[in-house]
Amino acid sequence: MSLFWRIFSLNAAGLVAATALLLGPVTVSTPVLPGEALLLLAGLALLLAGNAVVLRLGLAPLRRLGRAMATADLLRLGVRAAVAGPAEAAELITTYNTMLDRLEAERAAGAARALGAQERERHRVARELHDEVGQTLTAVLLQLKRVADRVPADLREEVGQAQEATRAGLEEIRRIARRLRPGVLEELGLASALRSLAAEFTTHGLTVRHHLSGDLPPLEAESELVLYRVAQESLTNTARHAAADRADLYLRPLPGGVELLVRDNGTGPGAAPEGAGIRGMRERALLTGAALRLGPAPGRGTDVRLCVPAGPAPARPRPRIPAGAEAGR
């Protein structure tokens, strides 16, 4: 029953009852007797209470819809307001959910175009770093070697320092190019790329261990790139912000998909708002219909969990994620 008919029926019932009393043996004296006043007040209170109950029940779905609209996030797929209540409220909630479906589809398409352009730009910059800057520094290094053979002995130490600085700069350029364009992912596959990533982030203060399953289902190239980039961003956050000395990188099959888990023993996600890195991970998850969750790890630290459907798949349904609270870093 619609909200209009609920309120109308209740008020009509009250007015019909009052009219029936006027036509019956019940009368109101002048002045009004205490018993008659009490009866009138009880009837009024009953009518007001009925109206309050009907309005509260009828407007409760709208209050829930307001809360859902205030907390809506297009990067968290599938979160919808429950369709309930009178016909008008149910129709409004259904329209809102349909609008969210359309906005999520448009957001995913826009994110795909933006991230595709970003990857192309990464490849272009990496190629220019390797072909232009890298070759220039290599030539400078060779020239410094020839100079070192002819300079006086008292200047050789300074030339040697210049050689070491140039060699360090060349290695840094190569490292940046590898991070911009994961060539090992294209040439050797996802497992080898993740092993290389774990080795790259293993430094004096952080140890990254990888646990990669060998029986993974086939994945689209786009899904592999999303898994690699999310692992890369997660380890970057761990190295920069988590104050952790150990991280574990897991890649294992799930029913209908693949799960990536990056777990560290750092300070945990806390209550800080999500930064651009995590928002970027959520944008990438949209591309393949993946589900991304961030939350505290068992004991201490942070869990970043990404579940990607195997093969070409729509945004929903998605692989089931083990329960865990979400949080940002």
Side-chain angles (χ1 to χ4, degrees):
M1 184 183 297
S2 69
L3 183 61
F4 169 79
W5 284 111
R6 290 185 184 187
I7 298 176
F8 177 81
S9 300
L10 179 63
N11 285 297
L15 293 174
V16 168
T19 304
L21 290 175
L22 290 176
L23 296 177
V26 178
T27 59
V28 179
S29 304
T30 304
V32 180
L33 298 177
E36 296 171 344
L38 184 61
L39 183 61
L40 290 174
L41 291 175
L44 178 61
L46 185 62
L47 185 61
L48 293 175
N51 273 280
V53 170
V54 170
L55 287 174
R56 178 170 291 276
L57 294 177
L59 297 178
L62 297 181
R63 287 195 296 271
R64 290 196 297 270
L65 176 61
R67 290 194 295 269
M69 294 174 70
T71 58
D73 187 350
L74 295 181
L75 294 181
R76 291 177 170 84
L77 297 180
V79 179
R80 296 292 181 269
V83 180
E88 297 94 336
E91 183 178 359
L92 179 61
I93 296 172
T94 302
T95 303
Y96 169 72
N97 289 340
T98 303
M99 180 191 69
L100 278 186
D101 292 336
R102 185 173 66 253
L103 290 176
E104 283 184 357
E106 294 174 357
R107 177 68 177 268
R113 291 191 296 270
L115 292 175
Q118 184 185 85
E119 287 297 329
R120 290 191 296 272
E121 184 66 12
R122 281 171 176 260
H123 284 203
R124 185 189 67 80
V125 173
R127 186 169 56 251
E128 290 187 358
L129 284 175
H130 182 273
D131 296 343
E132 302 292 337
V133 182
Q135 290 184 8
T136 300
L137 288 178
T138 301
V140 170
L141 194 60
L142 293 175
Q143 291 174 359
L144 286 173
K145 185 177 185 305
R146 288 195 296 268
V147 170
D149 296 334
R150 295 195 297 266
V151 297
D154 57 337
L155 295 177
R156 286 179 183 175
E157 182 178 355
E158 295 182 10
V159 174
Q161 292 175 355
Q163 284 180 296
E164 290 302 320
T166 305
R167 188 176 292 109
L170 182 59
E171 288 299 321
E172 182 67 14
I173 289 295
R174 289 172 177 170
R175 187 187 67 82
I176 294 173
R178 285 196 301 270
R179 296 195 66 185
L180 286 173
R181 182 177 181 270
V184 66
L185 177 63
E186 301 173 358
E187 298 166 4
L188 301 179
L190 179 61
S192 297
L194 291 179
R195 292 190 189 97
S196 175
L197 190 66
E200 178 183 344
F201 277 91
T202 296
T203 62
H204 296 294
L206 178 65
T207 301
V208 181
R209 299 178 298 186
H210 56 78
H211 315 269
L212 310 178
S213 177
D215 54 347
L216 298 174
L219 295 169
E220 293 289 300
E222 190 177 64
S223 299
E224 291 188 348
L225 181 59
V226 168
L227 286 164
Y228 179 85
R229 290 299 188 196
V230 169
Q232 185 182 52
E233 183 63 33
S234 301
L235 290 175
T236 300
N237 283 345
T238 298
R240 291 180 179 175
H241 309 297
D245 58 13
R246 189 185 72 252
D248 291 280
L249 178 64
Y250 298 88
L251 185 67
R252 51 203 178 196
L254 280 181
V258 170
E259 179 189 62
L260 171 74
L261 173 63
V262 181
R263 173 176 292 167
D264 63 55
N265 66 341
T267 56
E274 293 186 354
I278 294 177
R279 302 289 292 183
M281 288 194 287
R282 294 195 184 281
E283 292 278 4
R284 291 186 180 278
L286 285 177
L287 298 181
T288 55
L292 177 73
R293 289 201 179 188
L294 295 95
R300 64 189 295 261
T302 303
D303 274 0
V304 178
R305 194 183 302 268
L306 177 72
C307 293
V308 178
R316 290 180 298 274
R318 295 167 290 160
R320 183 177 63 84
I321 305 178
E326 287 195 6
R329 180 183 301 161

